Amino acid sequence: MTIRVMLVDDQELLRTGFRMVLQSQGDIEIAAEAGDGQQALAVLEQTEVDVILMDVRMPRLDGVQATRRICLAEDGTPRPDAPHVLILTTFDLDEYAFAALKAGASGFLLKDVPPPELVAAIRSVHAGDAVVAPTTTRRMIDRFAEVLPTQQSTPGSTVLSPLTDREREVFLLVAQGLSNSEIAAKLVLSEATVKTHVGRILAKLGLRDRVQAVVLAYEAGLVRAGASD
């Protein structure tokens, strides 16, 4: 299956470099390019795309706002048919990158990412996985907690109401950044069972990936800034 990729960056030289790397892959096609978020939205009305490489700092419409309009419906719920967005950033811990994760992005990459990692990241998000480890998201939360305050002041008693007791246990461990194998060992379950639980949790809570689970847990007061992983 061919992965249709869109490059969104106001630096044409950077787009050229990414294009050269990706076009050499047999399973990746550059379906579209745009120089800013506004142009990207216009192009998406005419072009089918699977994965978007999105810069955060661009004129007219930045990557955060563009990501929100691509990934979220007007009521703030995820669009199930939206392309997966990978944010391009210059710094590992960037408030813009974190804001984009809140807006529905599936992960972020540094602009100087090695070509093999770039290709692997695109394939990962296309398969439905998140590129940013939940522990990295937690570090971003810890750093920018004052800039991006929680939306709910009381720990989220209702947020997890759709989940069973076991699913709640798994959710809280996912939010702490544990992998499936680590969760399996902690709860004495098989990895396959944990994977099934995670899939059901994401579906019930309307989340696209594990990174979104960490963000939700933080906003609901279930994960505290500064808490250990």
Side-chain angles (χ1 to χ4, degrees):
M1 177 184 295
T2 300
I3 305 172
R4 296 162 297 190
V5 173
M6 182 178 189
L7 306 176
V8 184
D9 197 295
D10 59 335
Q11 298 181 45
E12 186 173 354
L13 185 60
L14 193 92
R15 297 202 311 268
T16 299
F18 282 155
R19 188 190 318 120
M20 291 175 63
V21 169
L22 298 176
Q23 283 182 333
S24 66
Q25 305 298 313
D27 61 338
I28 296 177
E29 168 194 344
I30 303 301
E33 295 186 30
D36 59 54
Q38 193 69 47
Q39 185 182 8
L41 294 176
V43 171
L44 284 173
E45 293 180 0
Q46 309 292 331
T47 307
E48 280 195 42
V49 172
D50 300 311
V51 177
I52 301 173
L53 294 183
M54 178 84 75
D55 188 20
V56 284
R57 308 184 191 196
M58 297 180 292
R60 295 209 297 170
L61 188 69
D62 66 30
V64 175
Q65 294 300 321
T67 297
R68 183 173 291 111
R69 290 169 63 174
I70 289 167
C71 296
L72 302 180
E74 290 186 5
D75 62 358
T77 59
R79 297 181 188 272
D81 57 346
H84 295 281
V85 176
L86 273 172
I87 293 297
L88 298 171
T89 180
T90 306
F91 305 104
D92 184 19
L93 291 176
D94 186 327
E95 68 270 27
Y96 291 95
F98 178 64
L101 293 178
K102 285 168 61 77
S106 294
F108 71 89
L109 297 170
L110 296 180
K111 285 192 173 184
D112 60 355
V113 60
E117 291 184 22
L118 172 65
V119 172
I122 289 172
R123 289 173 178 155
S124 292
V125 296
H126 182 252
D129 297 326
V131 167
V132 186
T135 48
T136 302
T137 307
R138 284 288 310 282
R139 286 194 296 123
M140 298 177 80
I141 286 172
D142 290 348
R143 177 167 176 178
F144 301 115
E146 294 182 2
V147 179
L148 297 162
T150 57
Q151 296 176 355
Q152 301 178 32
S153 57
T154 56
S157 57
T158 61
V159 170
L160 304 186
S161 58
L163 307 183
T164 65
D165 289 343
R166 176 62 85 183
E167 288 168 348
R168 292 183 189 195
E169 285 185 281
V170 173
F171 174 86
L172 292 174
L173 294 174
V174 168
Q176 293 171 34
L178 273 65
S179 66
N180 284 355
S181 60
E182 291 169 332
I183 294 172
K186 195 172 186 68
L187 298 181
V188 194
L189 300 171
S190 70
E191 279 194 58
T193 299
V194 172
K195 185 175 181 180
T196 298
H197 281 313
V198 171
R200 288 175 179 166
I201 290 165
L202 297 180
K204 286 182 178 182
L205 299 182
L207 305 173
R208 297 187 69 177
D209 53 47
R210 300 167 81 99
V211 169
Q212 297 296 311
V214 177
V215 174
L216 174 64
Y218 169 73
E219 292 182 333
L222 299 166
V223 172
R224 298 188 311 277
S228 60
D229 288 322

